[in-house]
Amino acid sequence: MSILSSFPKISATRKRPNGSDVSGHWVETTPTSTTISVIPPQPANGTELQLLPDGEREYTHLKVWSTAELATDDVLTISGVDYLVVLSMDYDSACARLGFDGFYKALIRRVQ
């Protein structure tokens, strides 16, 4: 059981980019959409913002948690607003032996 089970959750749609290499060129296909549950987004703090890649710190970022896998470049639609997953942290496998596994944390920003 995930540590997130005791927190309130809201519905979100996760769109994951798809594609394949065709003759050395990436060809994007229709993204896969999945309905997932997330803990409502909260502002990212200064320590979390330091983990962002260069060029990302100029945007306003939120943090979100889910028991569904979140990956960089996923697009989450939460309450009608699209957010890009900029950084994903896997607490599912990283914390398995510590007893609070089963979730993913991500830093997200509005799609521009």
Side-chain angles (χ1 to χ4, degrees):
M1 181 162 83
S2 169
I3 192 171
L4 301 184
S5 61
S6 60
F7 291 92
K9 291 167 217 45
I10 58 175
S11 181
T13 302
R14 179 188 65 199
K15 287 180 256 176
R16 180 156 291 161
N18 283 324
S20 61
D21 186 312
V22 177
S23 301
H25 299 289
W26 181 256
V27 177
E28 207 163 303
T29 59
T30 306
T32 304
S33 290
T34 307
T35 301
I36 63 172
S37 294
V38 297
I39 291 180
Q42 300 171 10
N45 65 41
T47 302
E48 292 161 331
L49 295 175
Q50 293 300 312
L51 300 172
L52 292 171
D54 288 340
E56 275 297 324
R57 295 184 190 131
E58 67 185 71
Y59 300 101
T60 301
H61 289 82
L62 301 171
K63 57 187 165 188
V64 68
W65 295 267
S66 180
T67 55
E69 179 187 11
L70 300 172
T72 302
D73 294 331
D74 283 351
V75 174
L76 297 178
T77 303
I78 303 169
S79 301
V81 178
D82 288 339
Y83 296 93
L84 177 67
V85 174
V86 179
L87 180 68
S88 177
M89 294 160 261
D90 178 355
Y91 288 89
D92 190 40
S93 57
C95 300
R97 63 178 172 61
L98 301 175
F100 60 92
D101 60 327
F103 68 97
Y104 296 81
K105 176 182 176 182
L107 295 183
I108 61 175
R109 65 169 170 86
R110 272 185 173 226
V111 172
Q112 303 289 323

